[in-house]
Amino acid sequence: MGSSLSNLTEGANGSTNGPGLGDIPESCVACVFLYLTPPEICNLARLNRAFRGAASSDAVWETKLPPNYHDLLDFLPPERYQNLSKKDIFALLSRPVPFDDGNKEVWLDRVTGRVCMSISAKGMAITGIEDRRYWNWIPTEESRFHVVAYLQQIWWFEVDGVVKFPFPADVYTLSFRLHLGRFSKRLGRRVCNFEHTHGWDIKPVKFELSTSDGQQSSCEFCLDACEHDDSSGNHKRGCWIEYKVGEFIVSDSEPATEVRFSMKQIDCTHSKGGLCVDSVFIIPSDLKERKRKGF
């Protein structure tokens, strides 16, 4: 079995037992690579010289990049991508590309090459954020932006944001990433404090999104569970939860799509607090669903 596989990976120059994978023309290998994912291509590149050459072909990697990948490159200084192959450009864009003073990031999914985005709490308009009696900024490694907004207590809770970007044609899901309770490290262990956590089980928070071409979506969630399980506690506390606001459809990257989003609980009959606001994610909908299922 092992010797047979070895013979297959050898070509005409290294085997006397008939044709092997090394005899396949590089152009034919490149045609096959058009139907494979970037991780699959990189794995097969280790087989032999023909596969390695095809795995570096600009013609192959051009198909893995979104049609408007130049819009992402515009956020980078030219010296970062000039003279790079398409494969290296894909590798560059599969890492987060910051923009808007580092408060927003865009990147390509490493498997599908589709565009994903995240927006920091610092890139949003938060009512009362400048008043330390209500809000604080907490540095943390649990956020891709290394900082989250922590609400101690407030009566009028409102967070708004907007992004204008030439999203490629796709169906996108927008969600808020939130955490009930203040977390920290103590003796190397993660601990949560719920001293300020209150008011989120009384009335729901309203989430909304709208786009420049008239699409709208809204929903409501109670951020704190109304019923407590004595054995496991409140399952919504002490962990990051992504709240899906809705979906929007982009049919063309031109003109750029403007997306507005918000969450609010402005019933001033009660105060609320003890909430961490991290970021907003905009991810292709089926890609997000596959990741949720562990694919």
Side-chain angles (χ1 to χ4, degrees), residues 7-71:
N7 290 338
L8 278 174
T9 59
E10 292 180 6
N13 295 329
S15 173
T16 60
N17 298 324
L21 291 179
D23 296 296
I24 302 176
E26 184 178 311
S27 59
C28 293
V29 177
C31 289
V32 174
F33 281 178
L34 295 176
Y35 299 93
L36 302 182
T37 66
E40 291 169 339
I41 294 172
C42 292
N43 284 333
L44 290 173
R46 296 178 291 183
L47 282 176
N48 57 44
R49 184 179 300 174
F51 278 67
R52 189 160 53 251
S56 300
S57 167
D58 277 354
V60 169
W61 287 97
E62 182 86 34
T63 66
K64 310 305 175 185
L65 291 163
N68 64 328
Y69 71 91
H70 290 285
D71 291 321

Side-chain angles (χ1 to χ4, degrees), residues 15-175:
S15 173
T16 60
N17 298 324
L21 291 179
D23 296 296
I24 302 176
E26 184 178 311
S27 59
C28 293
V29 177
C31 289
V32 174
F33 281 178
L34 295 176
Y35 299 93
L36 302 182
T37 66
E40 291 169 339
I41 294 172
C42 292
N43 284 333
L44 290 173
R46 296 178 291 183
L47 282 176
N48 57 44
R49 184 179 300 174
F51 278 67
R52 189 160 53 251
S56 300
S57 167
D58 277 354
V60 169
W61 287 97
E62 182 86 34
T63 66
K64 310 305 175 185
L65 291 163
N68 64 328
Y69 71 91
H70 290 285
D71 291 321
L72 280 69
L73 291 176
D74 287 342
F75 292 127
L76 297 169
E79 58 269 19
R80 289 280 305 278
Y81 58 84
Q82 282 180 342
N83 303 319
L84 288 183
S85 67
K86 293 297 190 295
K87 177 183 178 180
D88 290 335
I89 288 177
F90 184 94
L92 177 66
L93 296 181
S94 66
R95 296 186 289 269
V97 177
F99 65 103
D100 190 20
D101 297 325
N103 293 325
K104 299 181 177 73
E105 290 181 346
V106 63
W107 67 94
L108 301 184
D109 176 70
R110 293 185 179 185
V111 176
T112 65
R114 294 158 76 185
V115 172
C116 306
M117 181 180 290
S118 184
I119 302 159
S120 167
K122 279 187 172 289
M124 307 178 206
I126 302 177
T127 301
I129 191 64
E130 302 298 333
D131 195 326
R132 292 296 182 88
R133 294 175 300 172
Y134 305 133
W135 291 90
N136 287 292
W137 293 107
I138 302 177
T140 175
E141 295 179 356
E142 295 191 16
S143 168
R144 65 188 303 120
F145 296 99
H146 306 293
V147 67
V148 299
Y150 176 69
L151 172 64
Q152 296 187 124
Q153 178 173 300
I154 205 166
W155 294 81
W156 185 289
F157 172 75
E158 185 170 7
V159 179
D160 298 279
V162 61
V163 63
K164 188 173 185 179
F165 186 79
F167 290 98
D170 213 327
V171 181
Y172 296 88
T173 290
L174 185 145
S175 57

